[in-house]
Amino acid sequence: MATVPALLNPSFLPPNPPKRTTAFSLTKPFLTLAPPPSSASSLYRLPRRRVAHTPIAASVKDHLGLLTKTWSDYTSLNQWVVRDYYRLVNSVNALEPHIQRLSDEQLTAKTVEFRRRIRHGETLADIQAEAFAVVREAARRKLGMRHFDVQVIGGAVLHDGSIAEMKTGEGKTLVSTLAAYLNALTGEGVHVVTVNDYLAQRDAEWMGRVHRFLGLSVGLIQRGMTAEQRRSNYGCDITYTNNSELGFDYLRDNLAGNSGQLVMRWPKPFHFAIVDEVDSVLIDEGRNPLLISGEASKDAARYPVAAKVAELLVQGLHYNVELKDNSVELTEEGIALAETALETNDLWDENDPWARFVMNALKAKEFYRRDVQYIVRDGKALIINELTGRVEEKRRWSDGIHQAVEAKEGLKIQADSVIVAQITYQSLFKLYPKLSGMTGTAKTEEKEFLKMFKIPVIEVPTNLPNIRKDLPIQAFATARGKWEHVRQEVAYMFRLGRPVLVGTTSVENSEHLSDLLKEWNIPHNVLNARPKYAGKEAEIVAQAGRKYAITISTNMAGRGTDIILGGNPKMLAKEIIEDSLLSSLTREAPNIEVDGETISQKVLSKVKVGSSSSALLARTSLMAKYVCKSEGKSWTYQKAKSLISDAVEMSQSINLKEIEKLADEESEMYPLGPTIALAYLSVLKDCEVHCSQEGSEVKKLGGLHVIGTSLHESRRIDNQLRGRAGRQGDPGSTRFMVSLQDEMFQKFNFDTEWAVRIISKITNDEDIPIEGQAIVKQLLALQINVEKFFFGIRKSLVEFDEVLEVQRKHVYDLRQLILTGDSESCSQHILQYMQAVVDEIVCGNVDPLKHPRSWSLGKLLREFISISGPLLDADGIFEDSFAGITEEALLDSIGQLHDFSSIDIDNFYLPKLPKPPNSFRGVRRKSSSLKRWLAICSDDLTTNGGYRPIINLLRKYLGDVLIASYLTAVQESGYTDAYVKEIERAVLVKTLDLFWRDHLVNMNRLSSAVNVRSFGHRNPLEEYKIDGCRFFISMLGATRRLTVESLLRYWSSPMESQELFVS
């Protein structure tokens, strides 16, 4: 092991760092007390310190706690569920010896056998134990990893459509292979959903080896793929993707103009999904709907003006803010000043609207902070995901907020947008008939999962007991005191040699702490949304468990790379290969903005590479130089890294003998890939020895120490950060330090100023930490209240979205039926639309309870003729002009129906009126006409009355006129059936899209407007349901009418209209 110069050089750290102050213990609640009494003496009354427990008392307490825990385990429902799963584990273990004796070919052939048994009537439950045993053996052979018994339980939980809560480091990625393989045997497709592209690619390559070995196809969806690539990957047995790509593919498929543009498995794109970090996707991201938008607005020039006005307005005087729900309210003074500055008499003037722009500018000023909610890069404001700390380049805030932020920063204003398609993650994943998920922290949200998704959470036991120490929370009066104490704690741990992970809530905070550590010359790595750090994300996290490693990170939730004590040997080996070869493969220097800043390794011990590894590295380097020089090849920096990554992947997917054989066969062609793979395998062995030794040292020191610098809005996020320490039975410790000036206290209007004054007077040192059970209870109570607040928001969003969900399902199902159905089904839709339009016209102008003389027959005729247009006057369709029918003639014809004793419905028409063309020839068309008549007789469009039969006959006659005229015009046009169906399909889809787009805008406006109705003691949700239903019915009616009008207009003069709808 290399020595660490920091411990020998006294100038490396300050000679006498500030002393670690003893925490002040508070034994009574202080955060919910009323303001302090006026008596000065009470301010200085110190709480009595608790007497330390005697060894005997402590022992009794420990045994009592153990007894209580054992009893709660015995009586908990989760414990009984897990015990039941052990029956499956025993079956899998019993099959293991037999499965191990199978050859690779026999093991692969099991997949064919399982599929045959399913076709012959066996269920997945019948083959579950054997399938799990097969996957366990395949993983052992291809990955060198055997599923533990608890991992088999995790796989069974996923297969049963539940959420498996497994602690960090327990191997959730490996667990997913069990349920994914079993459910893929049906051939209907399995989606394994991760939170980002990196994890999807890693898991597809890593776990995909198991599935491919067993004969299943594995697909991967990544940003930037073509439609053809996506279609091919969705067609695989198991597809790895991230949640946003999945959602946008679903929305894009429902904007497709024809079936050739679809990429998912229609008509059933969803079968079974395994969602990694399911709490992050369904709960944290649940408040942000996925939107596809198009440019719509011409008001870009108003945003910079509104931003200037917002700078003039003063909070508290001109406007008030509500941090809890990010709302702004202008005062009378603010309205007057804004109207004066903008030279308008009314901010809410419909002809010159400024209110929306001013309000958005104020929101951008108060709630959207640079380096917290967004960063500025290349002249663009890029959103930072507050849950993961990552930049989301393709995402934009809606409702003009993003434009307001761009105006505040002086950036180019991008056009406003209008919603074209939208869906929430809750609605998206409800489309799966069977849904499961896995995470390290879901138990605290179990009630929400049960209520919203009907999915239980099963807590899977750890393979080894958790020995992590969670130290008491420390509270500080000021933020300055908190950050100073964090620095002292980091310095203390650094002197011991323990690795430290510090979690911060924003880019701003992570860089502030980084500056503090630089003042004391403490080497560290920063991981936040800035690209120079994010480019090395996986490498930084992999190094975070090494001796003397200090890592500052924004939210660690869902990072996806385990922090292994002593370091990750695979990552270290890859770094050594890159350091040795990149200079030989490329002359291009790395771009810090893309490839990341160099990781700080000042005090990390160097890996001692063996002589054989050194020889292989030298040989590989020489070969790389020769290939570049002799063959004139010159790789870019990214291409060179990709070449090394491919070689590393080769070393993991092909055994050593095959790589050596490949290198020998290509010896004359300088086999760079196989040679790099051999060098990597040799270096990997050295790294494994080094990491194992260093890991033992770190464990003796106490393992990874995690410091949380602020409480999050959910206990679950805090637990995710804590879970980074103590993985797989390793030692570790955690400590949360919070300040009463933290954002959460301010955001939820928690009055802490008086508490700050008391603490400073009691201790004469506002930087001293306060800790104790009282602090913990009060902070947890606050967190629970915050969780309830956000649960209420999510619940409201889900309830509102359920209204749109039903409507969306109807529209999208109809759309897919049009695109993927046969030509006959498309034609049937057209005919149904025509009859529906006729029914709307007739029912809107007649009354079954009144005599036909009182009906609005003149209006009925005008509406019908306006819909059908010139088609009714086309030559050869009618013997007499239909447009010449008068109101009196129609009334007289209806009156003669009373004289009919019977009616031949196949050849029916109103007396003395034009007879419809004979277009209902053939069994299919006659059958369709009869079905239409039966539907007219059985529907409830008209109330029961004496004239209902006459109304039904009128509907039948006008429907026959319209449909027969259309069919005759199409037939006489001379176009092929294929072309006709193409026109019909294009018109149907485009009119549906047009009105659905407007409907989404109207529903979003309605969801904002109905909240005002609560002042009138009306339920906003019920109001939204009623008006939303009314909007939807109106939208469907308008869609049918425009579709019919467009088709009739087209076929009345096809040559003039042939480019109208076909693109």
Side-chain angles (χ1 to χ4, degrees):
M1 284 297 220
T3 56
V4 181
L7 299 182
L8 304 177
N9 182 4
S11 65
F12 192 82
L13 288 174
N16 292 306
K19 296 176 69 175
R20 291 173 56 78
T21 52
T22 303
F24 183 80
S25 178
L26 197 67
T27 57
K28 294 184 178 180
F30 75 100
L31 292 179
T32 53
L33 291 176
S38 58
S39 172
S41 62
S42 64
L43 294 178
Y44 297 94
R45 188 178 300 129
L46 297 177
R48 183 179 302 170
R49 287 185 176 274
R50 291 183 177 176
V51 179
H53 292 290
T54 63
I56 296 176
S59 176
V60 170
K61 184 178 179 181
D62 289 345
H63 281 87
L64 185 61
L66 183 64
L67 181 64
T68 305
K69 185 176 186 301
T70 304
W71 175 249
S72 65
D73 285 348
Y74 184 77
T75 55
S76 73
L77 178 61
N78 189 89
Q79 184 71 12
W80 285 100
V81 172
V82 170
R83 283 165 63 94
D84 189 56
Y85 277 121
Y86 270 104
R87 291 191 299 171
L88 173 66
V89 172
N90 294 335
S91 299
V92 174
N93 289 339
L95 288 166
E96 189 170 19
H98 167 68
I99 299 295
Q100 285 179 341
R101 288 193 293 270
L102 298 178
S103 65
D104 286 357
E105 293 75 17
Q106 289 173 321
L107 195 61
T108 302
K110 277 290 183 180
T111 300
V112 178
E113 177 194 326
F114 290 147
R115 284 181 159 167
R116 186 181 66 252
R117 288 163 62 181
I118 290 171
R119 285 196 302 271
H120 290 168
E122 290 193 44
T123 65
L124 293 182
D126 296 330
I127 63 171
Q128 183 177 7
E130 193 172 355
F132 278 17
V134 165
V135 175
R136 175 191 262 183
E137 180 59 22
R140 189 183 67 81
R141 296 185 189 184
K142 301 305 293 181
L143 305 178
M145 295 187 288
R146 175 187 173 275
H147 294 79
F148 297 126
D149 287 355
V150 292
Q151 289 176 315
V152 173
I153 292 175
V157 170
L158 295 179
H159 170 66
D160 288 343
S162 302
I163 292 172
E165 180 182 280
M166 301 180 70
K167 302 304 179 188
T168 303
E170 289 296 307
K172 293 188 288 291
T173 309
L174 185 63
V175 165
S176 66
T177 57
L178 297 166
Y181 173 79
L182 179 60
N183 286 271
L185 294 173
T186 62
E188 296 176 277
V190 171
H191 294 162
V192 182
V193 185
T194 65
V195 291
N196 59 51
D197 273 355
Y198 164 73
L199 293 177
Q201 183 176 6
R202 184 202 69 178
D203 294 352
E205 292 172 353
W206 189 19
M207 297 297 128
R209 295 177 207 155
V210 175
H211 300 306
R212 282 187 282 266
F213 173 70
L214 291 173
L216 298 182
S217 56
V218 178
L220 171 65
I221 303 296
Q222 297 273 275
R223 190 175 66 185
M225 281 185 169
T226 64
E228 188 58 42
Q229 289 172 321
R230 291 174 184 272
R231 191 177 303 111
S232 173
N233 284 309
Y234 275 118
C236 293
D237 295 313
I238 299 172
T239 304
Y240 287 83
T241 180
N242 71 62
N243 50 343
S244 63
E245 289 294 324
L246 179 70
F248 283 124
D249 279 339
Y250 174 71
L251 292 178
R252 280 190 290 262
D253 270 9
N254 284 289
L255 293 173
N258 56 67
S259 58
Q261 296 174 357
L262 301 176
V263 299
M264 302 184 84
R265 288 179 171 225
W266 294 98
K268 292 183 179 180
F270 303 114
H271 167 54
F272 173 60
I274 301 171
V275 184
D276 192 14
E277 304 296 346
V278 65
D279 55 333
S280 176
V281 174
L282 295 185
I283 293 180
D284 299 330
E285 295 282 1
R287 286 179 278 167
N288 304 320
L290 293 169
L291 303 174
I292 292 181
S293 57
E295 294 187 3
S297 177
K298 308 175 185 65
D299 293 322
R302 290 179 181 252
Y303 288 103
V305 178
K308 296 292 184 185
V309 173
E311 291 177 8
L312 298 175
L313 303 179
V314 179
Q315 182 184 345
L317 175 62
H318 299 119
Y319 63 92
N320 298 312
V321 300
E322 181 60 58
L323 291 171
K324 186 187 292 186
D325 54 5
N326 283 10
S327 61
V328 175
E329 182 181 1
L330 284 168
T331 63
E332 292 295 330
E333 293 83 356
I335 293 172
L337 179 57
E339 288 176 345
T340 303
L342 293 168
E343 298 180 350
T344 181
N345 295 324
D346 184 4
L347 289 178
W348 285 268
D349 184 356
E350 290 184 5
N351 299 319
D352 187 26
W354 276 102
R356 180 170 73 92
F357 299 96
V358 173
M359 301 296 269
N360 281 344
L362 289 173
K363 289 179 180 179
K365 173 184 174 183
E366 294 293 336
F367 306 130
Y368 295 84
R369 291 178 292 156
R370 186 170 179 166
D371 292 339
V372 179
Q373 276 82 21
Y374 66 94
I375 63 171
V376 175
R377 186 206 302 169
D378 299 331
K380 297 179 181 178
L382 303 178
I383 297 174
I384 298 174
N385 187 318
E386 294 183 52
L387 303 167
T388 64
R390 291 186 174 89
V391 172
E392 300 188 336
E393 296 186 21
K394 294 293 182 77
R395 185 178 152 204
R396 287 177 65 82
W397 288 302
S398 58
D399 301 325
I401 292 294
H402 211 105
Q403 287 79 6
V405 170
E406 289 169 336
K408 182 183 80 169
E409 294 290 345
L411 306 173
K412 180 182 177 182
I413 309 295
Q414 297 190 29
D416 245 345
S417 58
V418 62
I419 297 172
V420 176
Q422 76 175 62
I423 193 170
T424 61
Y425 282 123
Q426 288 100 330
S427 296
L428 175 69
F429 286 103
K430 281 180 182 177
L431 295 172
Y432 284 93
K434 185 175 173 183
L435 177 66
S436 65
M438 49 190 184
T439 180
T441 47
K443 206 66 179 174
T444 55
E445 314 294 340
E446 183 175 20
K447 290 182 180 178
E448 183 166 350
F449 281 117
L450 279 171
K451 189 176 182 65
M452 299 293 185
F453 304 100
K454 309 294 187 291
I455 304 176
V457 177
I458 307 298
E459 194 173 359
V460 180
T462 57
N463 187 48
L464 295 171
N466 186 354
I467 58 173
R468 184 186 71 231
K469 294 179 181 177
D470 294 325
L471 302 174
I473 296 174
Q474 292 183 334
F476 295 80
T478 64
R480 182 175 61 83
K482 176 185 74 173
W483 290 116
E484 182 59 36
H485 207 76
V486 170
R487 176 164 65 170
Q488 292 176 15
E489 182 120 328
V490 170
Y492 173 73
M493 293 296 172
F494 180 79
R495 288 180 174 278
L496 294 177
R498 284 185 67 181
V500 179
L501 172 67
V502 185
T504 61
T505 54
S506 68
V507 174
E508 187 179 45
N509 288 340
S510 65
E511 296 189 344
H512 172 66
L513 180 58
S514 177
D515 292 338
L516 290 177
L517 295 183
K518 286 175 183 175
E519 290 177 7
W520 284 10
N521 295 323
I522 300 177
H524 59 279
N525 287 309
V526 178
L527 179 55
N528 60 32
R530 295 201 188 280
K532 63 180 181 179
Y533 301 127
K536 292 277 187 179
E537 177 181 317
E539 290 90 336
I540 291 173
V541 176
Q543 298 271 33
R546 297 191 65 188
K547 200 174 180 182
Y548 297 103
I550 309 295
T551 308
I552 302 170
S553 172
T554 48
N555 206 321
M556 287 297 297
R559 285 292 177 187
T561 305
D562 278 350
I563 299 177
I564 302 173
L565 298 186
N568 187 319
K570 291 182 179 179
M571 289 286 190
L572 284 176
K574 188 178 178 183
E575 284 180 26
I576 291 171
I577 295 291
E578 288 179 350
D579 291 343
S580 301
L581 299 182
L582 282 176
S583 59
S584 302
L585 291 170
T586 180
R587 296 176 183 176
E588 184 178 298
N591 180 357
I592 290 178
E593 289 299 313
V594 176
D595 304 306
E597 197 172 61
T598 305
I599 299 175
S600 174
Q601 297 187 358
K602 292 179 182 177
V603 295
L604 301 183
S605 57
K606 299 294 182 183
V607 178
K608 186 177 180 181
V609 178
S611 56
S612 60
S613 298
S614 299
L616 280 169
L617 286 173
R619 178 191 170 194
T620 309
S621 181
L622 282 172
M623 186 180 292
K625 287 178 181 178
Y626 181 81
V627 169
C628 289
K629 187 175 181 181
S630 65
E631 299 185 15
K633 288 187 178 178
S634 180
W635 287 278
T636 63
Y637 185 83
Q638 283 298 323
K639 279 282 187 183
K641 287 197 72 171
S642 178
L643 176 67
I644 293 173
S645 296
D646 290 343
V648 170
E649 171 64 20
M650 179 196 296
S651 71
Q652 300 299 301
S653 57
I654 304 175
N655 63 47
L656 180 59
K657 289 183 179 179
E658 290 180 5
I659 297 174
E660 289 174 343
K661 183 180 178 182
L662 196 60
D664 291 338
E665 288 174 355
E666 300 178 7
S667 57
E668 296 181 1
M669 297 185 294
Y670 299 99
L672 197 54
T675 307
I676 295 174
L678 289 172
Y680 171 80
L681 288 172
S682 181
V683 172
L684 179 60
K685 291 180 181 177
D686 298 330
C687 290
E688 287 173 346
V689 173
H690 176 89
C691 291
S692 177
Q693 292 174 350
E694 189 170 313
S696 299
E697 294 178 29
V698 172
K699 288 177 183 178
K700 290 176 182 176
L701 293 171
L704 177 69
H705 183 61
V706 172
I707 300 175
T709 57
S710 176
L711 291 179
H712 292 84
E713 293 167 353
S714 168
R715 291 167 293 166
R716 182 171 42 81
I717 307 295
D718 293 340
N719 291 337
Q720 286 177 355
L721 184 58
R722 286 190 179 99
R724 286 288 165 176
R727 62 180 290 279
Q728 293 187 3
D730 289 341
S733 57
T734 66
R735 166 86 77 184
F736 270 77
M737 301 182 188
V738 300
S739 157
L740 299 183
Q741 294 177 343
D742 283 348
E743 184 179 357
M744 188 172 73
F745 294 94
Q746 299 172 14
K747 189 171 184 177
F748 291 90
N749 293 328
F750 196 79
D751 182 19
T752 58
E753 287 299 320
W754 65 271
V756 171
R757 289 195 298 271
I758 288 182
I759 294 170
S760 60
K761 288 181 180 179
I762 289 176
T763 66
N764 286 328
D765 182 3
E766 60 183 14
D767 295 342
I768 194 170
I770 312 298
E771 66 180 47
Q773 285 301 314
I775 290 283
V776 175
K777 286 181 180 179
Q778 296 302 307
L779 292 176
L780 288 180
L782 173 62
Q783 266 190 314
I784 290 171
N785 287 334
V786 174
E787 287 174 4
K788 289 178 179 177
F789 171 76
F790 282 115
F791 171 70
I793 292 177
R794 290 192 298 271
K795 182 172 178 287
S796 176
L797 284 172
V798 168
E799 289 173 341
F800 273 73
D801 193 59
E802 281 175 351
V803 178
L804 199 57
E805 185 181 331
V806 175
Q807 299 173 357
R808 183 191 302 111
K809 188 175 188 309
H810 177 86
V811 170
Y812 285 177
D813 285 350
L814 174 60
R815 206 177 184 285
Q816 292 303 325
L817 188 61
I818 294 168
L819 288 180
T820 61
D822 56 21
S823 58
E824 192 61 34
S825 67
C826 191
S827 295
Q828 285 302 315
H829 268 100
I830 300 292
L831 304 188
Q832 288 171 11
Y833 275 19
M834 289 181 174
Q835 183 63 57
V837 169
V838 167
D839 291 344
E840 288 176 12
I841 293 173
V842 172
C843 294
N845 292 286
V846 301
D847 186 344
L849 300 174
K850 296 180 181 179
H851 192 276
R853 281 194 298 270
S854 63
W855 294 353
S856 304
L857 295 179
K859 183 183 175 187
L860 185 153
L861 282 171
R862 287 192 297 273
E863 286 187 27
F864 180 74
I865 291 171
S866 70
I867 286 288
S868 53
L871 192 65
L872 296 183
D873 293 328
D875 294 337
I877 292 183
F878 289 97
E879 296 177 2
D880 300 317
S881 173
F882 193 92
I885 298 175
T886 63
E887 181 178 351
E888 291 76 15
L890 180 58
L891 180 60
D892 181 54
S893 178
I894 291 173
Q896 293 184 34
L897 290 176
H898 290 288
D899 301 332
F900 283 49
S901 57
S902 64
I903 292 175
D904 179 9
I905 203 65
D906 286 335
N907 301 301
F908 169 76
Y909 65 97
L910 290 179
K912 298 183 181 180
L913 294 185
K915 183 178 180 180
N918 189 15
S919 297
F920 299 108
R921 294 185 297 270
V923 175
R924 186 178 298 172
R925 287 188 176 178
K926 281 189 176 182
S927 173
S928 173
S929 177
L930 181 59
K931 286 179 181 177
R932 195 157 42 83
W933 168 243
L934 294 174
I936 289 172
C937 294
S938 60
D939 65 28
D940 55 357
L941 286 179
T942 54
T943 55
N944 287 322
Y947 296 96
R948 179 175 178 177
I950 293 178
I951 292 174
N952 287 342
L953 289 172
L954 179 60
R955 289 165 59 190
K956 175 72 166 61
Y957 170 70
L958 293 179
D960 284 350
V961 167
L962 193 61
I963 292 170
S965 302
Y966 173 76
L967 294 175
T968 302
V970 169
Q971 187 175 358
E972 292 179 353
S973 68
Y975 288 106
T976 63
D977 286 346
Y979 180 79
V980 171
K981 302 313 174 190
E982 182 185 350
I983 294 294
E984 290 179 342
R985 186 171 278 117
V987 172
L988 277 167
V989 168
K990 292 197 174 185
T991 51
L992 184 61
D993 287 349
L994 175 69
F995 283 103
W996 175 246
R997 194 175 303 176
D998 291 341
H999 181 68
L1000 288 176
V1001 174
N1002 291 333
M1003 291 296 284
N1004 278 319
R1005 289 174 179 168
L1006 178 64
S1007 66
S1008 302
V1010 292
N1011 290 320
V1012 181
R1013 302 186 192 181
S1014 60
F1015 294 115
H1017 303 290
R1018 289 189 286 178
N1019 186 332
L1021 178 60
E1022 293 302 319
E1023 294 289 310
Y1024 181 77
K1025 287 179 179 178
I1026 294 168
D1027 284 359
C1029 182
R1030 184 165 53 83
F1031 284 3
F1032 188 63
I1033 292 171
S1034 175
M1035 185 271 288
L1036 292 178
T1039 302
R1040 288 192 291 265
R1041 182 166 290 213
L1042 181 60
T1043 300
V1044 171
E1045 285 180 350
S1046 301
L1047 284 169
L1048 294 175
R1049 193 183 318 123
Y1050 184 92
W1051 291 113
S1052 65
S1053 54
M1055 295 303 295
E1056 297 175 13
S1057 316
Q1058 63 182 351
E1059 294 184 1
L1060 186 61
F1061 286 100
V1062 181
S1063 57

